[in-house]
Amino acid sequence: MSDVFAVGVGQTEVGEHWDRSLRQLGAAAARAALADAGTDEVDALYVGNMLAGDLSGQHHLGPLIAEHAGLLGVEAIAVEAACGSGGAAFRTAYTAVASGLVGSALVVGVEKMTDRPGKEVTQGLATAADADFESQIGLSFVAINALLMRRYLHEHRLTRDDFAPFIVNAHANAVHNPNAMFRFPVTAAELARQPMVADPISVLDSSPVCDGAAAVLLCSAERARGLGGRAARVRACTVGTDTIALHDRRDPLELSAAVRSSRRAFEVAGVAPADIDLFEVHDAFSIMTVLALEAAGFAERGRAVALGASGAIARGGQLPLSTMGGLKARGHPVGATGVYQIVEVVLQLRGEAGENQVADAALGMAQNIGGSGATVVTTVLEAVR
């Protein structure tokens, strides 16, 4: 396998884009990544998306985005893995370049969620769960995560307040991210007053419904050398899977797919959790942040909340989390989220994260989760000095 480098990144603002269509958002991010890399040369395009068929009435996104990004004629394929679609598209592009089959591959994650009524969005998101045994009996995705959080609170004798530092941190970072949806701080006291969506998950425990697109251009070492010195090396990109339904898991509070994916990523990259300078965690709900930290080896079981309480997750801490606001405050346009995470890690490694810059960031990790943990894509990237 050959070395793979991220040489260009692009993104749109996350929000409610009433004046921009799915194709326009995807094409804008694609063109921004190509401009950032200083090239129009692309051998393949991989599009991550979850809900276009349900909410936009549009499948076949590969050639659609290729056409509107000015890339018509290249290999162009859409990839779906629920909320992990962006990470899965990145993994597909990574393997294509690493294998030598293509010299460059553009990854675009795109989602348009706000044009449809909330009920339809909820139904669409529920397709990431087990259709026969979860969504058909009325379990929404918020409800599934509420079950996990309630069990976690019970097993570890915690309260909802113990999760507050993760939400406060994400919003504090989003304040300085011009592409974030929620650019305002929140306090622990405000969190305690929020209405419940599915007890114990409140409004501010949950990531928002939104629109957005992000893109990354991956190249071989040979191609990267001709594009200047702003690349980041992909040290590892690995995937783990687990059952879709919670009730089929041996232990619902262990994200087994994240355990497998993280361990394999550390092994391939030749690093340990302690070497990671920042972690873009899949904080779609507060409970997912905690479970992912424990599954990846950053905390022992039941101890992830201690990282938040200690301040270790802040930008100047031991393990900065959600450095540009995360899913919680930057926003979670589901099929695009995994690509936004990669873009943000690359910006950190290039020293281009502005007021959110993590000092001396050399090794960053992003983890994108599909469903309630059925698909987990873990990516480790390294700064090129």
Side-chain angles (χ1 to χ4, degrees):
M1 299 286 280
S2 301
D3 284 343
V4 178
F5 295 85
V7 296
V9 295
Q11 59 185 312
T12 69
E13 291 183 26
V14 179
E16 298 183 3
H17 289 287
W18 302 108
D19 59 339
R20 304 176 82 180
S21 68
L22 180 82
R23 68 187 70 190
Q24 290 172 326
L25 288 169
R31 289 192 295 265
L34 294 174
D36 184 55
T39 184
D40 293 323
E41 186 176 0
V42 176
D43 297 330
L45 168 68
Y46 300 100
V47 180
N49 176 269
M50 177 185 175
L51 295 172
D54 292 315
L55 302 184
S56 300
Q58 180 70 64
H59 286 297
H60 215 180
L61 295 187
L64 181 76
I65 301 302
E67 175 189 357
H68 290 273
L71 300 172
L72 193 61
V74 303
E75 172 186 335
I77 299 171
V79 179
E80 184 276 319
C83 317
S85 297
F90 185 88
R91 161 72 177 180
T92 304
Y94 167 75
T95 55
V97 176
S99 68
L101 290 175
V102 301
S104 64
L106 182 63
V107 187
V108 176
V110 60
E111 203 70 74
K112 192 80 171 69
M113 304 174 72
T114 64
D115 286 352
R116 308 302 302 172
K119 181 179 179 181
E120 292 183 25
V121 176
T122 298
Q123 290 172 339
L125 291 170
T127 61
D130 189 307
D132 291 335
F133 298 106
E134 290 183 322
S135 54
Q136 287 296 326
I137 64 169
L139 278 176
S140 67
F141 240 82
V142 182
I144 289 171
N145 280 271
L147 290 173
L148 287 170
M149 189 169 180
R150 176 61 68 194
R151 184 65 194 178
Y152 191 92
L153 295 178
H154 169 75
E155 284 199 9
H156 301 298
R157 301 178 184 275
L158 298 169
T159 69
R160 289 185 61 255
D161 294 342
D162 293 311
F163 289 75
F166 298 106
I167 303 168
V168 171
N169 175 73
H171 275 265
N173 290 336
V175 168
H176 302 295
N177 178 3
N179 293 300
M181 184 173 186
F182 294 148
R183 298 184 62 193
F184 56 82
V186 298
T187 66
E190 289 171 327
L191 292 173
R193 296 194 298 268
Q194 294 301 306
M196 290 293 155
V197 180
D199 195 4
I201 289 179
S202 74
V203 170
L204 284 180
D205 282 299
S206 313
S207 56
V209 168
C210 51
D211 311 324
V216 180
L217 180 62
L218 297 179
C219 287
S220 64
E222 181 181 359
R223 292 269 185 97
R225 279 193 290 270
L227 295 174
R230 300 174 68 229
R233 179 188 172 201
V234 183
R235 289 281 296 268
C237 184
T238 59
V239 182
T241 59
D242 198 358
T243 67
I244 290 181
L246 287 184
H247 65 258
D248 285 329
R249 298 178 190 172
R250 180 187 61 82
D251 181 354
L253 293 185
E254 179 186 75
L255 291 181
S256 296
V259 172
R260 298 185 188 102
S261 180
S262 300
R263 287 178 179 172
R264 180 61 178 156
F266 292 137
E267 178 185 344
V268 172
V271 301
D275 298 317
I276 301 299
D277 295 316
L278 65 124
F279 182 25
E280 295 304 329
V281 66
H282 191 96
D283 53 348
F285 299 95
S286 302
I287 183 61
M288 275 293 143
T289 305
V290 169
L291 295 181
L293 284 167
E294 293 174 5
F298 293 113
E300 295 180 4
R301 182 163 178 147
R303 296 294 300 161
V305 293
L307 284 177
S310 71
I313 63 172
R315 288 196 301 275
Q318 170 191 345
L319 183 67
L321 287 188
S322 305
T323 64
M324 303 299 282
L327 286 62
K328 174 62 199 70
R330 175 244 294 132
H332 183 25
V334 287
T337 286
V339 187
Y340 272 101
Q341 292 175 309
I342 299 292
V343 167
E344 291 161 355
V345 172
V346 171
L347 291 175
Q348 288 283 2
L349 298 179
R350 296 195 324 197
E352 298 174 0
E355 293 190 54
N356 288 1
Q357 183 64 49
V358 174
D360 302 318
L363 207 61
M365 177 167 148
Q367 189 170 82
N368 191 200
I369 298 177
S372 57
T375 301
V376 179
V377 185
T378 304
T379 305
V380 177
L381 297 105
E382 178 184 42
V384 177
R385 304 301 188 194

